[in-house]
């Protein structure tokens, strides 16, 4: 199991929470226990996160903004030429011959990181950039593509691929030169693995597999000089501002534009200040946790949630209502079955079609009695891979409901559990159950249901998350 440094920063004025690094997680792993979220931070986030955008934290400590007057200052307000992450999740901001890595790094020349991006090719600055997402094409997956005038450069591990630069039309037929911006759009978020290319108000949707292009015009969206996908959210940068948009329609919801200096970089006079207190490990708690068949792992607390499986790009908390608008006040329990996400609140069950953007299935919500054949309330719920039984925790009781049966009803009631459970997650090594700042590991749901004595609690420590022991 790979370990990475885990870092956290809380920006008081904007109520943001970012954790960079962590353990790579999928539905088939149990490492989400190593990334529990602090109750204190969640409550603080709930105060003002509704329209927050992500920041990216590079390095174990955040440096205050120090500017060399001989170099451009992004805290003075810069319209970026391109923004893109590399294969390790480091986000690069480009302006002319300069770039910045992350939101707190100093200014340096782009050819220090990508040495071929210089005057040797007699091209202009980087017009657009993106990180390729195409798991069906592993030779291209996670490569960075840079566009300069009518040329495209492909890098992996900051090394230029043989044969590049090429004419844009060689790699991306139908895509014009002199682009303004580009951003990847994985299958599920877009219909297929795609790239969105921007030129003026025109958007070219490029299907990676078929190499076909669909052109549309988003006149309601500002002209994007750079674009970024981060944690299933899409951002158009223009001037020193940004606007979040829907990747399929270009729709903008919320109060935009916003100043990028308040969110995507650390500037002393733009939205940064004191107020962060490293929480005690004893303050950790969760409301719910789940992992779907695609490996997306979500943790929930109060009115916000965090995606846990994208440790490479860092983690960030968002309002639940941004992805599941009917659940803005929080959830009691969540579980995933095939391509559906079940969310329980009070005596109501909401079922969403996945992947993102999640869509509430017509006819929902329904009552717990109608959908699962039980009365509320529910404290936790989980489903193990390749099974059709949902294990529902109610107080110190666990009941099983066969999801393949019609009508649904309780098929088994376990003996009383040794303690109350906040949240639970099932994986190949067993069942993790969370209670406050501790977690417990059971070999299987059957072991949990027959246990009369709780196993040794495993505490959350500063070795696995940013908290004070």
């Amino acid at each position: 199991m790979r370990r990475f440094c885990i870092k956290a920063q809380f920006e008081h004025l904007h109520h943001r929470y970012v954790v960079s690094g962590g353990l790579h997680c999928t539905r088939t792993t149990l490492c989400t226990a190593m990334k529990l979220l602090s109750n204190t931070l969640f409550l603080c986030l709930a105060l003002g996160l509704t329209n927050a955008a992500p920041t990216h934290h590079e390095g174990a400590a955040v440096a205050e903004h120090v500017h060399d007057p001989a170099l451009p200052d992004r805290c003075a307000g810069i319209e970026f030429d391109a923004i893109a992450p590399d294969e390790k999740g480091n986000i690069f901001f480009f302006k002319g011959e300069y770039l910045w890595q992350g939101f707190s790094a100093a200014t340096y020349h782009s050819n220090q990181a990508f040495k071929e991006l210089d005057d040797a090719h007699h091209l202009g600055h980087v017009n657009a950039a993106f990180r390729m997402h195409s798991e069906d094409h592993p030779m291209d997956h996670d490569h960075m593509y840079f566009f300069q005038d009518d040329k495209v450069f492909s890098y992996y591990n900051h090394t230029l691929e043989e044969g590049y630069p090429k004419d844009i039309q060689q790699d991306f037929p139908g895509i014009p030169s002199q682009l303004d911006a580009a951003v990847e759009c994985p299958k599920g978020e877009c219909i297929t693995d795609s790239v969105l290319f921007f030129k003026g108000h025109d958007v070219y949707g490029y299907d990676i597999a078929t190499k076909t292009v669909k052109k549309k015009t988003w006149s309601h969206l500002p002209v994007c000089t750079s674009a970024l996908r981060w944690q299933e959210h899409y951002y158009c940068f223009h001037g020193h501002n940004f606007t979040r948009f829907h990747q399929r329609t270009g729709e903008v919801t919320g109060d935009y534009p916003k100043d990028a200096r308040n969110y995507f970089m650390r500037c002393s006079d733009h939205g940064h200040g004191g107020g962060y207190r490293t929480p005690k490990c004893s303050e950790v708690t969760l409301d719910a946790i789940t992992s779907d068949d695609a490996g997306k792992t979500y943790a929930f607390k109060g009115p916000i949630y965090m995606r846990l499986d994208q440790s490479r790009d860092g983690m960030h908390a968002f309002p639940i209502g941004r992805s599941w608008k009917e659940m803005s006040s929080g959830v009691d329990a969540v579980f995933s079955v095939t391509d559906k996400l079940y969310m329980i609140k009070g005596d109501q069950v909401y079922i969403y079609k996945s992947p993102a953007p999640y869509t509430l299935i017509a006819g929902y919500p329904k009552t717990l009695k109608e959908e699962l054949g039980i009365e509320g309330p529910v404290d936790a719920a989980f489903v193990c891979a390749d099974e059709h039984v949902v294990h529902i925790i109610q107080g110190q009781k666990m009941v099983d409901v066969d999801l393949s049966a019609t009508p649904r009803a309780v098929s088994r009631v376990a003996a009383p559990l040794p303690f109350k459970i906040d949240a639970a997650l099932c994986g190949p090594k067993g069942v993790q159950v969370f209670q406050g700042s501790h977690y417990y590991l059971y070999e299987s749901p059957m072991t949990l249901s027959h246990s009369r004595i709780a196993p040794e609690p495993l505490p959350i420590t500063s070795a696995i998350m940013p908290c004070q022991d």
Side-chain angles (χ1 to χ4, degrees), residues 209-228:
T210 65
K211 296 184 180 296
T212 56
V213 179
K214 291 184 179 179
K215 180 182 175 182
K216 44 198 168 186
T217 301
W218 289 346
S219 56
H220 59 282
L221 194 67
V223 173
C224 307
T225 61
S226 56
L228 176 67

Side-chain angles (χ1 to χ4, degrees), residues 7-8 43-44 85-86 93 117 193 197 238 243 251 257 270 276 318 336:
K7 290 92 67 177
L43 294 177
C44 292
D86 67 7
F93 298 76
L117 297 180
D193 280 336
F197 293 97
H238 45 96
T243 296
E251 180 184 4
H270 285 86
Y276 172 70
F318 294 99
S336 303

Side-chain angles (χ1 to χ4, degrees), residues 382 384 398 426 429-431 442-449:
F382 64 93
C384 297
M398 183 170 79
C426 185
K429 293 183 179 180
V431 179
Y442 292 85
E443 290 183 358
S444 67
M446 186 65 70
T447 304
L448 171 62
S449 66

Side-chain angles (χ1 to χ4, degrees), residues 116 121 152-165:
E116 292 81 8
H121 296 93
V152 58
F153 296 69
S154 176
Y155 284 82
Y156 186 75
N157 196 24
H158 293 228
T159 301
L160 185 67
E161 280 195 280
E162 185 177 353
Y164 285 86

Side-chain angles (χ1 to χ4, degrees), residues 111-171:
N111 60 15
Q112 291 180 253
F114 307 95
K115 65 181 181 180
E116 292 81 8
L117 297 180
D118 55 25
D119 295 334
H121 296 93
H122 306 290
L123 299 171
H125 59 76
V126 174
N127 303 120
F130 72 93
R131 182 181 66 191
M132 175 71 80
H133 181 94
S134 180
E135 294 181 350
D136 293 334
H137 298 80
M139 296 300 292
D140 299 322
H141 183 65
D142 270 354
H143 287 231
M144 293 185 77
Y145 285 82
F146 298 102
F147 298 83
Q148 291 185 346
D149 297 341
D150 61 352
K151 301 295 183 183
V152 58
F153 296 69
S154 176
Y155 284 82
Y156 186 75
N157 196 24
H158 293 228
T159 301
L160 185 67
E161 280 195 280
E162 185 177 353
Y164 285 86
K166 297 180 180 179
D167 290 340
I168 292 175
Q169 292 288 318
Q170 287 183 261
D171 268 7

